[in-house]
């Protein structure tokens, strides 16, 4: 007969199987120590604009060994890692610290976001940045946007990535490309933000909506 702990563990396992995210994103696989060290070495090498041959020669190891290290295929000795770190001019501890670091997270208290007031044609468009992540392959910019009484329409925004608009209050005709959408509280619009877009008719002011913009990090400064 199963004891209380066994029954509880089984219930916990069943619960964890049922409580899965609705996202279709692939589950994350944690990197091994070897993969993490290799990825960091490759990143540091590229930042210094060194070829694999350059780093291997400076560290006194073969190019084949360096390739295996960067791809996490072998567990290098501390002496080898120290030689690579000397060639990169970094501390050995920096490689291991990266493996242990926590995932990025941003927390902003209500009303404490960074507020930006647009000028010129976009006067009266107030943007409150609700968070910022320092790492990861994508940049995520969540804004609380308020269009005040003096706000003017502007439907020519264009930028990389995708954008989600979620209306909280007020009413607006929002243009995306050749289409117009009558949006009020509770409505959502998700679109490719490379097409011209923005609030074209401000029907009920003031209005507030959440805007989340996502684009690849490597285009952030282009």
């Amino acid at each position: 007969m199963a004891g209380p702990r066994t029954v509880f563990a089984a219930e916990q396992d069943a619960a964890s199987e049922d409580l899965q995210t609705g996202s279709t994103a692939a589950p994350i696989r944690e990197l091994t120590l070897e993969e993490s060290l290799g990825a960091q070495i490759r990143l540091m090498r590229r930042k210094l604009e060194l070829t694999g041959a350059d780093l291997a020669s400076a560290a006194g190891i073969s190019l084949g060994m360096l390739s295996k290290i960067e791809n996490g295929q072998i567990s290098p000795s501390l002496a080898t890692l120290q030689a690579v770190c000397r060639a990169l001019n970094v501390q050995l501890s920096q490689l291991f610290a990266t493996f242990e670091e926590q995932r990025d997270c941003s927390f902003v208290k209500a009303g404490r976001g960074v507020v930006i007031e647009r000028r010129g044609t976009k006067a009266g468009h107030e943007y409150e940045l609700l968070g910022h992540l320092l790492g990861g392959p994508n940049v995520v910019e969540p804004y609380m946007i308020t269009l005040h009484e003096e706000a003017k329409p502007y439907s020519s925004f264009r930028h990389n990535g995708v954008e989600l608009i979620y209306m909280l209050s007020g009413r607006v005709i929002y243009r995306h490309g050749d289409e117009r959408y009558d949006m009020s509280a509770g409505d959502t619009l998700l679109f490719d933000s490379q097409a011209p877009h923005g609030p074209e008719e401000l029907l009920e002011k003031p209005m507030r909506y959440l805007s989340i913009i996502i684009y690849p990090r490597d285009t952030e400064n282009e």
Side-chain angles (χ1 to χ4, degrees):
M1 180 177 180
R5 290 183 180 275
T6 304
V7 173
F8 178 75
E11 291 176 347
Q12 290 291 94
D13 290 341
S16 63
E17 291 178 359
D18 293 336
L19 300 178
Q20 297 181 4
T21 176
S23 172
T24 57
I28 189 69
R29 182 183 72 83
E30 293 296 331
L31 296 180
T32 65
L33 176 59
E34 290 79 10
E35 289 171 333
S36 178
L37 294 177
Q40 284 302 307
I41 290 171
R42 183 189 300 109
L43 178 63
M44 292 174 180
R45 173 175 63 79
R46 289 177 175 174
K47 283 185 176 180
L48 293 175
E49 298 183 351
L50 297 174
T51 65
D54 291 334
L55 180 56
S57 176
I61 61 176
S62 69
L63 179 57
M65 175 175 284
L66 177 63
S67 177
K68 290 180 179 179
I69 292 173
E70 290 192 349
N71 289 302
Q73 296 174 344
I74 62 173
S75 182
S77 68
L78 286 177
T80 298
L81 287 177
Q82 286 174 332
V84 171
C85 286
R86 281 196 296 270
L88 292 170
N89 195 29
V90 298
Q91 296 293 322
L92 179 60
S93 59
Q94 187 173 339
L95 296 181
F96 290 94
T98 302
F99 177 72
E100 296 295 336
E101 70 183 7
Q102 295 183 353
R103 296 294 182 181
D104 205 357
C105 181
S106 176
F107 175 65
V108 177
K109 294 286 287 183
R112 298 291 182 87
V114 178
V115 176
I116 305 168
E117 182 77 22
R118 299 294 187 185
R119 296 180 178 178
T121 57
K122 298 177 284 295
H125 293 222
E126 179 185 289
Y127 286 59
E128 181 183 2
L129 183 61
L130 301 180
H132 181 67
L133 299 180
L134 300 176
N138 297 312
V139 177
V140 180
E141 296 180 351
Y143 292 99
M144 181 67 69
I145 300 179
T146 303
L147 304 187
H148 298 287
E149 291 294 342
E150 69 275 22
K152 303 297 182 184
Y154 189 82
S155 57
S156 298
F157 292 108
R158 297 186 73 176
H159 50 84
N160 284 324
V162 296
E163 183 169 353
L164 181 143
I165 299 290
Y166 179 77
M167 288 295 297
L168 296 170
S169 63
R171 184 173 166 225
V172 62
I173 300 296
Y174 200 95
R175 174 175 288 278
H176 175 259
D178 296 329
E179 301 294 329
R180 288 158 43 95
Y181 301 91
D182 188 339
M183 301 186 67
S184 56
D187 291 341
T188 304
L189 187 63
L190 176 64
F191 53 86
D192 180 341
S193 47
Q194 294 190 39
H197 61 275
E200 187 168 78
E201 293 184 37
L202 312 184
L203 303 179
E204 294 179 11
K205 296 188 291 185
M207 59 190 65
R208 297 175 73 232
Y209 55 90
L210 179 65
S211 167
I212 302 176
I213 302 170
I214 304 174
Y215 56 96
R217 187 170 294 279
D218 60 2
T219 66
E220 184 175 6
N221 297 314
E222 291 184 357

